[in-house]
Amino acid sequence: GIAPVSNLIIYPSALLTITGGTLQVSGTITNNGLRINALNGGLELNGTTAQTIAGSLFLNRTLKNLTLSNSSTASLSNLAGDTLYISNIIKFGNVNGRIFNTNNNLTLLSRASGTANVGDLTNGGVNTLNIISGNVTVERFIPAGRKWRFLAVPVTVTNTQTFKTEWMEGAMSAASDPKPGYGMFITDSLPAAVSNGFDAISIGGPTVKVLNAAGTLWPGITSPNLSMNAYGEAGLMTFVRGNRIGGVPSANTNTSTILRSTGVIKQGTKTISVAAGPFVSIGNPYASKVDLRKLLIPNVDTFFYYWDPALSGAYGVGAYQTLTKIGNNFEVIPGGSGSYPSGAFNELQSGQAFFVRTSRAGGSLTFTEPAKFDTASNIMVFRTQGQDPQVLRANLSIYNSDGSTKLVDGSLAMFGDEYSNAVDYNDGLKLLNGSDNVGFKREDKILVVERRNDIHSNDTLNVFISNVRQQRYQWNILTTNLDAAGRAGFLIDKFLNTTTPLNLNADNFYSFNVDGNAGSYASNRFLIVFKQMAVLPVTITSISAIRNDDKTISVNWKVENEINISTYTVERSADGLSFSSLMEKATLYNNGAKGDYNALDAKTLSTDNYYRIKALSKDGQVQNSNIVKVNAIKLPSSISVYPNPVVNKEMNLVFVNKAMGTYDITLTNKLGQVVHRGQVIISTANASKKINLVNVHAAGVYQLTIRAQDGTTDQQQIIVE
């Protein structure tokens, strides 16, 4: 809650702690004691006369939340170096047109546990724009991993502030590390790289690049002594190796870092023009998380292209994700990474850049203050009920050495009467990766999202692949709501000359190899074809299956309009794809009536059991029912830590009878701060995985959270010695 006071005096040896709530001060704060511990709390200034606070007032000079509701003026101390660090959000209350003067003493922190944001400066567009005056230092935490990152600069710097003064922390040589844990190495491939101010020559090319106006080339910056304002609102594709520790980086350099820039934060409405045709790179102008649904994009195609460092690609440095509007939300294609999971995702992060394009006349993209997320109440909103889009996702994965798979790319097709089969603004052009690519080819264009009219017989999706390598791959053709009456779908492999039926409301998996044969990596190797099959003179209205107490399974189905049917065959499968005959049932009606059938499977599989009913007419026509699944017999399962207490920072996770797949691992301390985050992949139901807790520096009790792919979590306390 809120604790209101007028004037606050902290007496000698006293420490004031704010936990969870907000201290609301309308007068002065006098500190004669041990400061205010607001690492987990908020402060609101709501006086009617001038109010000033200082970084030195707070423990670690850090305040979680600062709200400015002063109807007169509010400011920070003007003493040099008396910096206030905000760890979560700074925002204005219900005031109009006020100015908060930072006196160049404000820093927005960014750590693995989270990044501070500037809230909506207009209170939802109700108030006149409030202003944060003076310089602000905005940080962006970059986790360990030699990856490309697509970055934005959310401040306006002076012409004397350069890539060297900001992202290189003013280092004058490759051996210089002015601010340990901060900054990065910036290199270039030109022979004169060092004399031009770069740290070193990098044979692979420049490490900071900007997309040219034609959207075709990525020239590097000419010198790190160039002002960071030179590229306006464009995003910066940046290869981050880690911080500047240890001199010139090697292939083994793998540290986290914090990049920061100092200047006046960008605030108020920001409009960027989008020329027709090429992809345009745009950096988030705000030091804030933004809701994509609230951006104004007249004449801009509703696709946002993100660079995802967690989507490994061929070289392990990242690949593109595409966000497209489905219903009320944006969804990620292909998704499936820690950064961008599948489902609704509407966020643009502080310090993040992205691409857009328009296929129509030149458009524009406008950021407004109400488009910001309030980090204190960020709730994801999923698709509203009643919307049933017809969707097909084609996701491509590679096989790891342990038999598990790793997603590399994917595309999406949607069908509906509101779409055209011609390529238009509803279709998203593919932004090609340097590694594996998946798309749909239409009118000589490669699409990451193809929106088409409702499906008719012989409709075809021309699957496009490129940059695949000689190895084993797996398709996951995920279909949703495509199973209309009489409709069938098939994946055609032209190289192997095979046709594989698709379940039109489920996951479909297909493995294949790429080798030295040109046909195995041909861009048009695969097709997805739909057929409208003849409807039999029977309607199977429902099918169900349930496991009995004696472990047998009862299969039941209902029919209507049964005429001229020869037999029903109960078919079973272990994977939902390959079915075999289990038993036949003679017809009971054949007089146009409706009725019920049942069958008993006495020798069930201990794993998942899939069932369907095949109806055979007397003239040879075949109709299959929907597929139902009975889950495997559940054995006791667990995840345990051994040993506990953990010694030498080596934690062993023991999985017993758990689902195979990827598990997200999060370790938090007593303050709720994340001290370790990672993933493990298990390819068998029983497995043991060792995790090195290198970032856990203090002994004590920690909360371990393990999240499975299906969203279930396992939580337990561990002790680290």
Side-chain angles (χ1 to χ4, degrees), residues 1-45:
I2 295 177
V5 299
S6 296
N7 300 315
L8 173 67
I9 301 173
I10 303 174
Y11 284 95
S13 301
L15 173 69
L16 172 63
T17 300
I18 309 171
T19 303
T22 298
L23 179 66
Q24 189 181 68
V25 180
S26 59
T28 60
I29 301 176
T30 304
N31 178 33
N32 297 319
L34 300 177
R35 303 179 180 178
I36 299 175
N37 179 352
L39 299 177
N40 237 353
L43 176 72
E44 181 176 5
L45 301 179

Side-chain angles (χ1 to χ4, degrees), residues 76 160 203 261 340 366 369 453 605 620 661 672 676:
L76 293 180
T160 60
I203 298 176
S261 51
Y340 303 104
T366 298
E369 290 287 335
N453 200 264
L605 305 174
H676 176 86

Side-chain angles (χ1 to χ4, degrees), residues 596-625:
D596 298 344
Y597 289 88
N598 61 79
L600 183 69
D601 182 2
K603 297 181 179 180
T604 63
L605 305 174
S606 60
T607 56
D608 292 339
N609 292 259
Y610 297 84
Y611 296 92
R612 72 182 182 189
I613 306 301
K614 181 172 71 175
L616 176 65
S617 72
K618 292 180 180 179
D619 59 4
Q621 296 184 75
V622 175
Q623 179 185 8
N624 289 322
S625 72

Side-chain angles (χ1 to χ4, degrees), residues 15-204:
L15 173 69
L16 172 63
T17 300
I18 309 171
T19 303
T22 298
L23 179 66
Q24 189 181 68
V25 180
S26 59
T28 60
I29 301 176
T30 304
N31 178 33
N32 297 319
L34 300 177
R35 303 179 180 178
I36 299 175
N37 179 352
L39 299 177
N40 237 353
L43 176 72
E44 181 176 5
L45 301 179
N46 71 330
T48 57
T49 59
Q51 288 179 286
T52 300
I53 58 172
S56 55
L57 177 65
F58 300 94
L59 183 66
N60 297 341
R61 299 182 181 273
T62 301
L63 171 61
K64 183 177 181 181
N65 299 318
L66 175 61
T67 303
L68 305 162
S69 302
N70 187 291
S71 60
S72 177
T73 60
S75 62
L76 293 180
S77 165
N78 60 5
L79 294 176
D82 197 359
T83 302
L84 174 65
Y85 299 97
I86 301 293
S87 64
N88 186 46
I89 191 168
I90 176 173
K91 61 182 180 179
F92 283 84
N94 191 23
V95 290
N96 280 284
R98 311 318 300 169
I99 296 176
F100 175 65
N101 191 345
T102 70
N103 281 312
N104 305 333
N105 270 331
L106 180 64
T107 293
L108 302 181
L109 293 176
S110 181
R111 299 292 185 268
S113 57
T115 296
N117 280 244
V118 176
D120 176 4
L121 301 179
T122 67
N123 193 21
V126 174
N127 296 336
T128 305
L129 179 69
N130 297 287
I131 299 292
I132 296 177
S133 175
N135 285 342
V136 178
T137 298
V138 180
E139 296 184 347
R140 166 46 61 187
F141 175 81
I142 307 291
R146 298 164 62 87
K147 306 275 189 177
W148 286 102
R149 318 273 176 174
F150 201 25
L151 303 178
V153 180
V155 298
T156 301
V157 301
T158 66
N159 289 333
T160 60
Q161 290 173 276
T162 64
F163 290 93
K164 182 180 285 289
T165 63
E166 308 302 295
W167 286 1
M168 292 171 65
E169 292 292 332
M172 300 309 294
S173 70
S176 176
D177 188 8
K179 179 73 173 175
Y182 287 73
M184 62 173 286
F185 292 93
I186 299 182
T187 59
D188 191 64
S189 57
L190 298 177
V194 175
S195 61
N196 285 338
F198 292 97
D199 280 303
I201 297 176
S202 53
I203 298 176

